Amino acid sequence: MNYTEFKTGILRLTGVDLNAYKENQMKRRIDANIRKHGCKEYEDYLALLKTNRTLYDEFLSYITINVSEFFRNPNQWVTLETEIIPMLLKKKGSIKIWSAACSTGDEPYSLAMLLSKFMPLHQIKIIATDIDQEILAKAKAGEYIDKHLTNVPKDLRDRFIIQEGDKYVISPEIKKCIQFQQHDLLKDPYPERIDLIVCRNVLIYFTEEAKNDIYTKFSRSLNKEGILFVGSTEQIIGSQKFNLNPYRIFFYEKQ
C-alpha cells in the first residue's frame, strides 16, 4: 500500500481527507507515527487503526495538530481588546462569535474572559468547534497545566481560573459562555451571521485549494463588517477576492 492508497483508507475510516493537508508535512508526521508504533507498512498501520480504538483516537488527535495556549501572541489580543471588540460593539450592540478549530479550548475561554471586561457573563455566547471529539472533551473539562496559562492577565486568572493541586480549572461561569460542537471545516455547514471568527494557526497546514475554500466560507459566514482574526503566520494574500479587506495586521473585515 502506498501513501495515496493509505489516504483513501483513512478517508473511508475516519472521514478526514488528508488530500486537503500539505502532503510533505502530513506524510512526515504520519511516517513518524507509524515508526513509533512499530509498523513497517501503511497497510499494517491502517489495520491497527481499525482494531485499536485508543490508537485510532490518538491518530485523529495527531493529524489534526492540536497546539494551543491562552492569549497566544498577546499583542494581538491587545488589538482585539482595544480596537476590534469596541468597534464591533459600537456598530452592532452585541456580537456573535465563533472560535473555529478551537483545539483544547484555550482560545474560546480566552475570548470569554476578555469579553467579561465589556459585558455581563450571561450575555457572552461563543460557538467553539473542532473536528476532534477527544480534544473537544478535554476542552469541555477545562483543565490545564500551568504552562498553558502563562499569558493570562493576572486579574482574569484570579477571577476565572481555580487551582486544584497541580492543575488549573476554568470556572463554571466561564464554561457556561461556550457552546462546544464537533465541526469539520472542510465539509460541514458553517455557522451563519457571525460578527467575529477566530481561527488561528490552523490553516497553515492546509493546501492552497483547501485554504481558499475555507476563506470563502468564512466570508459567507460573517456579517457585513464582521471580522476574521487569523494566526501570526496566516496573512491572507489577495484577501479582497474573498470579500475580506485588511483591517489591522491579522484582522480582516468583511465588505
Side-chain angles (χ1 to χ4, degrees):
M1 174 182 285
N2 60 30
Y3 184 64
T4 299
E5 293 167 331
F6 176 76
K7 289 189 292 184
T8 300
I10 289 297
L11 180 60
R12 290 172 180 161
L13 178 64
T14 68
V16 174
D17 186 2
L18 294 177
N19 288 309
Y21 294 83
K22 292 177 180 177
E23 181 155 315
N24 289 341
Q25 289 180 341
M26 185 56 69
K27 188 173 183 298
R28 280 198 305 270
R29 290 175 63 83
I30 290 172
D31 288 350
N33 214 35
I34 287 174
R35 291 192 298 271
K36 172 185 171 184
H37 291 293
C39 297
K40 294 183 178 180
E41 304 289 343
Y42 290 118
E43 188 172 3
D44 300 333
Y45 187 52
L46 185 60
L48 196 60
L49 294 176
K50 290 177 179 178
T51 57
N52 188 317
R53 182 69 195 191
T54 300
L55 287 185
Y56 173 90
D57 291 339
E58 176 195 283
F59 174 76
L60 275 185
S61 293
Y62 188 69
I63 63 171
T64 49
I65 312 166
N66 294 293
V67 178
S68 189
E69 63 187 61
F70 284 74
F71 292 90
R72 186 173 184 176
N73 309 117
N75 288 341
Q76 295 169 30
W77 287 83
V78 171
T79 302
L80 187 66
E81 177 180 355
T82 59
E83 297 188 48
I84 303 300
I85 290 175
M87 178 271 292
L88 289 172
L89 287 173
K90 183 177 180 180
K91 288 182 177 179
K92 301 172 181 293
S94 63
I95 51 178
K96 186 176 179 181
I97 298 174
W98 175 22
S99 174
C102 69
S103 187
T104 50
D106 310 44
E107 183 175 88
Y109 288 135
S110 297
L111 286 165
M113 286 190 279
L114 183 61
L115 284 165
S116 73
K117 296 184 175 185
F118 296 88
M119 63 186 72
L121 288 174
H122 72 269
Q123 293 182 8
I124 300 171
K125 302 297 178 188
I126 297 168
I127 302 167
T129 64
D130 200 272
I131 192 174
D132 187 338
Q133 291 217 56
E134 185 179 3
I135 287 296
L136 284 173
K138 292 180 180 179
K140 290 175 185 177
E143 297 179 358
Y144 302 91
I145 58 176
D146 190 53
K147 72 175 185 178
H148 276 244
L149 307 171
T150 302
N151 295 322
V152 180
K154 185 179 186 304
D155 60 327
L156 297 179
R157 184 165 177 157
D158 291 344
R159 280 182 68 192
F160 298 125
I161 299 174
I162 305 157
Q163 184 172 0
E164 295 181 359
D166 60 354
K167 66 182 179 182
Y168 297 81
V169 183
I170 301 300
S171 69
E173 56 189 344
I174 285 292
K175 287 183 179 179
K176 289 178 183 177
C177 299
I178 316 296
Q179 180 183 356
F180 288 104
Q181 302 173 0
Q182 187 179 27
H183 182 270
D184 185 338
L185 287 170
L186 294 170
K187 63 182 184 182
D188 290 336
Y190 281 32
E192 297 180 344
R193 303 191 63 78
I194 303 295
D195 298 303
L196 173 64
I197 296 174
V198 183
C199 185
R200 307 178 68 227
N201 308 299
V202 175
L203 299 193
I204 53 173
Y205 301 105
F206 286 87
T207 64
E208 288 303 312
E209 182 181 5
K211 282 195 288 189
N212 288 344
D213 181 53
I214 291 169
Y215 285 137
T216 298
K217 291 176 181 177
F218 277 157
S219 180
R220 291 173 184 162
S221 184
L222 282 169
N223 281 324
K224 183 181 178 182
E225 298 182 315
I227 295 290
L228 171 62
F229 179 18
V230 302
S232 298
T233 58
E234 296 174 325
Q235 294 188 60
I236 307 173
I237 305 302
S239 63
Q240 287 82 0
K241 68 183 177 183
F242 306 113
N243 210 21
L244 297 168
N245 281 348
Y247 185 84
R248 295 287 183 270
I249 187 168
F250 311 120
F251 295 89
Y252 296 83
E253 183 178 42
K254 165 76 173 287
Q255 296 305 299

